[in-house]
Each structure stands twice: as C-alpha cells, then as structure tokens.
Amino acid sequence: MSVFIFTGPTLSPEAGLGVMKATYLPPAAEGDVYRAALRQPRVIGIIDGYFQSTPAVRHKEILWAMSHGVHVFGSASMGALRAAELAAFGMEGVGTIFGWYRDGVIEDDDEVAVAHGPPENGFVACSEAMVNIRQTLRQAELRGILSVEQRHALEEIGKALFYPERTYSKLIRAAADAGLAESDLRRLEAWLPENRVDQKREDALEMLNVIRNRLKDNLPPKTVAFSFQHTAMWEQARQRIATDAKELVSAETAADA
C-alpha cells in the first residue's frame, strides 16, 4: 500500500523513515496532491506546504483525492490548517495544532509559517513557528520560569513579529525593549536551549504513527459522504495542473508501507 508524505522544514525524510516507510516529498504546492492522487496511493499525508510566493495546495484537489479513495491526513503545519478546514468532508487531522485550528484557539496562517532554506539544504527552518513559541512559553510558565502575565506579554510580542523574523533571540530582545525585566528574560534565555518545544515536529511524528497503525489494521479505500462537484473553475485548474511539466519528485523514497 503506497503512502506519500509532503514534508519539509518540520520533519526531514530521514526522521520520517524512522517511523514509517513511505515516499517523502517536498512541501505541497498547488497541484501536488492531485498529481500524487493520480498514482492511486492508499494515503497522502500533508505536513508542510508552500504559501505566499507559491500557490498553496487547493482544498479542491484534496477533496478530489478523497473522492477517489485516497485517505488524506494533515498535521503540524499547512496539513493541520487544511485538515481543520476540511474535517467536515473527511480529511483527518492529527495533533495539538490541528486541534487548535479546529477549535478556534488559533486562526491565522502565520501561526505555523516559517522561513526556510532551499531544497538542497533540506528546507532548514530559519525562524520559529508561533505555535512552537506558544507551547514553549506555556512550558516555561508551568516550570515557574515565567508568570502568567509574562507569558501573555511574550506571546503578544511574538505574535507582533513578522513570521520570518520570529526567533527566540529576537523575541527576547523585543521583550527587553518593551520593558520586561532583564533578570526574568535572562532566566528564560538560559532555560530555552534544553527545553524549547517543537510542537510541529511532535504532531508530524504523531501523524506518521497514526497512519502506520491504520495501515497495519488493513485500512480500506476512503469513502466520502459528499458528491464531488466538477465545477468549471476546478476543471480549468485540473487541466492546468495536468499539463504542467513539473514532475512529482520525491525528496526521499523507500519501499511502500
């Protein structure tokens, strides 16, 4: 049973292979899920996806994939966002971040966005996701490193930073400029290296474990309760995607799961 996983800065293919054999692909962009679904895999998992400078994966292509028997899972980043938006149609979300989007705890795309390097450098993240910052600050509060008020203040400061500028060092500098106590910020800074939380990575690994276990239970083809609508807009998009010369090239490939 074949499985395609779209990932990038959140989780490397090597780390993914430690959990589950699959074909690991770069972050999903417009048309990638459709092209993957044409290969009739049992499962497509979306962790990372492009946005802003590259058209994002379409909701419609995910619906098309599910209507053709493909289970589509999402977690951690773009996957969590799309899963929350399409949960009512059968896309399966996994993890804390998906739950936050589904329940309205967070809403903005920038909560999971990061700046990252090129494919040849493994899409290495160059900034910190706001969802990771939130979880890290919550842990700092639970450990007595921060007060509730300090956590809220730092969350607001972090949220105000443009997503490519979000790093812990810039957060602490901005907090100092905002008047937070220097001694408290130094304590947080000393605590961070060994205690920061990578919630996106944790959610991505959880999704792979869920998929692996579902496959072990002989996951049947996906069935949906909706009737896929072949709108004129979708047909135009599908034809454009189908004639696109871009190949579906895996970043790392292993035997089918």
Side-chain angles (χ1 to χ4, degrees), residues 203-222:
D203 284 6
L205 291 171
E206 183 182 350
M207 185 188 77
L208 295 184
N209 276 301
V210 168
I211 294 172
R212 183 190 61 189
N213 292 334
R214 295 278 294 278
L215 289 170
K216 284 181 179 179
D217 293 336
N218 296 317
L219 183 68
K222 180 75 173 180

Side-chain angles (χ1 to χ4, degrees), residues 2-19:
S2 61
V3 178
F4 291 143
I5 305 293
F6 291 95
T7 189
T10 297
L11 188 75
S12 70
E14 293 77 15
L17 285 168
V19 178

Side-chain angles (χ1 to χ4, degrees), residues 193-211:
E194 300 297 325
N195 297 283
R196 64 181 62 183
V197 179
D198 191 343
Q199 191 63 52
K200 290 178 69 173
R201 178 184 172 84
E202 291 181 13
D203 284 6
L205 291 171
E206 183 182 350
M207 185 188 77
L208 295 184
N209 276 301
V210 168
I211 294 172

Side-chain angles (χ1 to χ4, degrees), residues 146-211:
L146 297 172
S147 67
V148 176
E149 293 77 16
Q150 288 169 329
R151 173 175 68 84
H152 286 313
L154 285 163
E155 285 179 340
E156 290 181 4
I157 292 167
K159 183 67 172 175
L161 294 171
F162 185 34
Y163 80 88
E165 302 297 320
R166 287 187 186 129
T167 64
Y168 286 107
S169 60
K170 290 183 179 179
L171 172 64
I172 288 172
R173 286 200 299 271
D177 292 341
L180 273 69
E182 189 78 14
S183 59
D184 294 333
L185 293 175
R186 296 288 78 79
R187 183 171 65 251
L188 174 63
E189 190 173 36
W191 177 85
L192 280 171
E194 300 297 325
N195 297 283
R196 64 181 62 183
V197 179
D198 191 343
Q199 191 63 52
K200 290 178 69 173
R201 178 184 172 84
E202 291 181 13
D203 284 6
L205 291 171
E206 183 182 350
M207 185 188 77
L208 295 184
N209 276 301
V210 168
I211 294 172

